[in-house]
Amino acid sequence: INSTENRSVLHVALRAPRDAVIHSDGVNVVPEVWAVIDKIKQFSETFRSGSWVGATGKPLTNVVSVGIGGSFLGPLFVHTALQTDPEAAESAKGRQLRFLANVDPVDVARSIKNLDPETTLVVIVSKTFTTAETMLNARTIKEWIVSSLGHQAVSKHMIAVSTNLKLVKEFGIDPNNAFGFWDWVGGRYSVCSAVGVLPLSLQYGFPIVQKFLEGASSIDNHFRTSSFEKNLPVLLGLLSVWNVSFLGYPARAILPYSQALEKLAPHIQQLSMESNGKGVSIDGVRLPYEAGEIDFGEPGTNGQHSFYQLIHQGRVIPCDFIGVIKSQQPVYLKGETVSNHDELMSNFFAQPDALAYGKTPEQLRSENVSENLIPHKTFQGNRPSLSFLLSSLSAYEIGQLLAIYEHRIAVQGFIWGINS
């Protein structure tokens, strides 16, 4: 369906069951995907067991993943969401995963601060091994390792996610320690490929990451098989097209009531605005209507003390509220009327109500608000929002959430007639 680049679009194959059949150019790609998954599983087990040692014989406990755009935002979102999941946190004990994306040397300094090259593995994530920012950062980190441990240390302390084995080898990385992905994986849809699965498996262990892939796959199946009336990505995509192109509301706020999802909005910004930020149809004809959405967001309750004023009383901005029934890290304080998580969720339920129903001048008068303040305290209501309520936030649900947004964006593109 990517006709402008003559490429298949098959990120669903990255999390398909082993026995699935998904063709690109007449070839079933699923066995190739599983060959890489099995290689990642084996490598991550060797690495985490301490059998893989660095140049000085010490096991490696720190990982720095170097990549930009889709090689960074998706994996960072998943990593941030897993950090406080009890099962994932237990599995990651004594380990660190960091990301280096920006070519700004400040980002380099932050990503290696307090790390010892002796115990650090660097993953260079670049499909072609030519991305300017990533390769400059790769050379910078390589120098950090070489200056401390010598040239021979590179093969022990650096691995790659790339399809260009020639350049990987020239860089000094053993091609056996390179993990491939395919032309039919768009960068911003690549978190379920080695781009995300490798660094996340090194940090959390493959079984946790497998649950994430299974969660995404469950939504792929739902999207493919459910009737439109009950199909989550279809309904969400239709709502977005309605809000943008018919009602003229160009923005959407992504408001997770979970600090673990603080990197969801930055990932969806790229996923949505790079996919659907198009002014021409798939045939190259100028669109006669506005397409694409302006995405932004912040976890609740932080956002309430930041930009909700605009959402309630200023411009109309459709909102996605995302709540979780069971907290990853519950706290029950003696003497408090409600638990911390219940306090958070009270806000989650109250905000869409306030947007929907507003507050009328009559209500304000019944509360004895002085007449001159009534216009300032009136909320018009009837402002669009939708709410997701997840049972919990484990690796499986994180995968589901990712896939819901991926397919929703595709639905919008199909209807707008653009090449997402």
Side-chain angles (χ1 to χ4, degrees), residues 143 196 333 340 377 399 405:
E143 180 53 36
L333 287 180
N340 299 38
K377 292 201 168 193
Y405 274 95

Side-chain angles (χ1 to χ4, degrees), residues 113-129:
K113 188 180 179 187
N114 299 332
L115 292 189
D116 184 346
E118 277 190 279
T119 54
T120 302
L121 181 74
V122 180
V123 185
I124 310 299
V125 184
S126 175
K127 194 174 196 170
T128 58
F129 236 60

Side-chain angles (χ1 to χ4, degrees), residues 14 18 32-49 52 121 123 125 159-162 176-182 190-207 209-210 213:
L14 299 170
R18 204 181 276 269
E32 301 170 40
V33 170
W34 275 92
V36 175
I37 289 175
D38 290 338
K39 185 179 174 182
I40 291 171
K41 181 174 186 275
Q42 186 186 5
F43 181 82
S44 62
E45 284 168 358
T46 304
F47 177 82
R48 288 170 56 81
S49 70
W52 178 285
L121 181 74
V123 185
V125 184
I159 63 175
V161 176
S162 181
N176 292 322
N177 299 328
F179 298 79
F181 56 116
W182 302 270
S190 67
V191 63
C192 294
S193 73
V195 166
V197 171
L198 178 61
L200 292 166
S201 295
L202 296 175
Q203 176 69 3
Y204 296 105
F206 182 76
V209 181
Q210 188 166 15
L213 295 174

Side-chain angles (χ1 to χ4, degrees), residues 46-156:
T46 304
F47 177 82
R48 288 170 56 81
S49 70
S51 318
W52 178 285
V53 293
T56 60
K58 289 185 179 176
L60 308 181
T61 51
N62 309 311
V63 174
V64 179
S65 183
V66 184
I68 200 165
S71 301
F72 155 65
L73 289 162
L76 177 65
F77 148 60
V78 179
H79 169 52
T80 310
L82 284 172
Q83 274 179 313
T84 39
D85 169 60
E87 189 189 7
E90 182 62 35
S91 203
K93 259 192 182 154
R95 303 186 172 277
Q96 280 192 75
L97 171 60
R98 297 186 187 178
F99 291 88
L100 168 58
N102 201 337
V103 76
D104 182 348
V106 168
D107 205 19
V108 177
R110 284 179 175 177
S111 69
I112 58 175
K113 188 180 179 187
N114 299 332
L115 292 189
D116 184 346
E118 277 190 279
T119 54
T120 302
L121 181 74
V122 180
V123 185
I124 310 299
V125 184
S126 175
K127 194 174 196 170
T128 58
F129 236 60
T130 57
T131 309
E133 299 94 332
T134 300
M135 295 321 296
L136 178 55
N137 278 336
R139 292 190 295 274
T140 308
I141 293 273
K142 181 182 179 182
E143 180 53 36
W144 174 69
I145 288 168
V146 167
S147 62
S148 174
L149 304 170
H151 275 283
Q152 79 291 345
V154 172
S155 62
K156 284 284 186 189

